[in-house]
């Protein structure tokens, strides 16, 4: 499982480098300013990202173990609020570390003059919509239905369970809007 996810993230990271002439053009998230890099530089960035991802993975495991150890040592029975706060803190830290490693090429190349400016807002939107597959948009209603069924228990909706139904409806609406935007973007080019 870890190997598949690691490979998928490395491929997503490497996809920010597109072949251009004799080297590669790096654009953060495919829309940032374009910097020319050599094949060796690209390979070094991708390898460094892979190492950082492994460190992050093992850091998450160690951090979770430390959190559990602290909760057991400090509290007889940790309350839900304490557990949630600790979990959110670990997740926030991991996300910040991941974003730092994801943007490492941008920081390293910041002193260079960009070869191409960042995409304007419309071009960036078209680029991002082009990377969303129709299959992903088609699967979203299935997940929305799963969310909505969590709110329907014992023959009806009770109290806060209605939020699951609301989440399902919001997800379907969001995906419908994205599908229309993608369709328009593909028609107009």
């Amino acid at each position: 499982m870890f190997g598949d996810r690691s490979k998928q993230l490395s491929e997503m990271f490497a996809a920010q480098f597109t072949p251009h002439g004799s080297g590669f053009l790096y654009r953060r998230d495919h829309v940032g300013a374009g910097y020319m890099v050599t094949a060796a530089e690209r390979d070094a960035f991708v390898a460094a990202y892979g190492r950082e991802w492994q460190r992050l993975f093992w850091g998450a495991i160690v951090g979770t173990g430390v959190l559990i150890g602290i909760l057991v040592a400090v509290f007889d029975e940790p309350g839900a609020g304490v557990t949630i706060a600790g979990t959110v803190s670990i997740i926030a830290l991991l996300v910040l570390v991941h974003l730092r490693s994801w943007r490492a090429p941008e920081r390293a190349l910041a002193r260079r003059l960009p070869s191409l400016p960042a995409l304007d807002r419309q071009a960036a939107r078209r680029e991002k919509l082009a990377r969303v597959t129709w299959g992903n948009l088609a699967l979203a209603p299935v997940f929305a239905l799963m969310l909505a069924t969590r709110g329907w228990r014992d023959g009806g909706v009770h109290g806060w369970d209605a939020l699951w139904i609301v989440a399902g409806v919001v997800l379907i609406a969001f995906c419908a809007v994205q599908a229309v935007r993608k369709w328009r973007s593909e028609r107009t080019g």
Side-chain angles (χ1 to χ4, degrees):
M1 182 85 168
F2 165 67
D4 292 342
R5 184 63 176 154
S6 176
K7 182 180 177 187
Q8 183 183 23
L9 281 171
S10 291
E11 288 172 358
M12 287 172 55
F13 180 80
Q16 297 179 106
F17 297 88
T18 55
H20 192 80
S22 62
F24 290 88
L25 183 69
Y26 167 76
R27 282 186 186 271
R28 183 177 55 85
D29 296 330
H30 304 278
V31 297
Y35 295 93
M36 287 300 299
V37 296
T38 65
E41 287 175 316
R42 174 198 176 268
D43 293 343
F45 284 129
V46 171
Y49 177 77
R51 287 189 302 273
E52 287 296 316
W53 172 248
Q54 276 191 324
R55 286 186 197 122
L56 186 65
F57 175 78
W58 290 111
I61 291 175
V62 169
T64 302
V66 168
L67 174 66
I68 291 170
I70 290 172
L71 290 176
V72 168
V74 173
F75 300 101
D76 289 333
E77 282 187 40
V82 172
T83 305
I84 290 171
T87 304
V88 167
S89 298
I90 286 178
I91 291 171
L93 179 65
L94 294 173
V95 166
L96 289 174
V97 171
H98 182 257
L99 286 175
R100 179 169 166 68
S101 63
W102 186 268
R103 294 180 174 182
E106 184 179 43
R107 286 191 313 277
L109 300 171
R111 295 181 189 255
R112 291 188 191 176
L113 189 61
S115 302
L116 295 171
L119 297 180
D120 65 10
R121 192 173 176 162
Q122 292 290 42
R125 181 177 291 151
R126 280 193 304 273
E127 172 64 31
K128 288 181 179 183
L129 285 172
R131 287 187 283 128
V132 175
T133 66
W134 285 106
N136 287 346
L137 289 173
L139 279 177
V142 173
F143 292 114
L145 183 61
M146 289 169 46
L147 283 174
T149 56
R150 287 195 50 104
W152 190 272
R153 297 182 189 187
D154 301 325
V157 179
H158 305 286
W160 289 99
D161 289 339
L163 289 179
W164 289 108
I165 295 172
V166 170
V169 170
V170 168
L171 179 59
I172 287 176
F174 175 75
C175 288
V177 168
Q178 289 298 89
V180 168
R181 290 174 64 203
K182 181 173 176 63
W183 178 72
R184 283 184 182 166
S185 176
E186 288 178 355
R187 282 190 52 216
T188 59

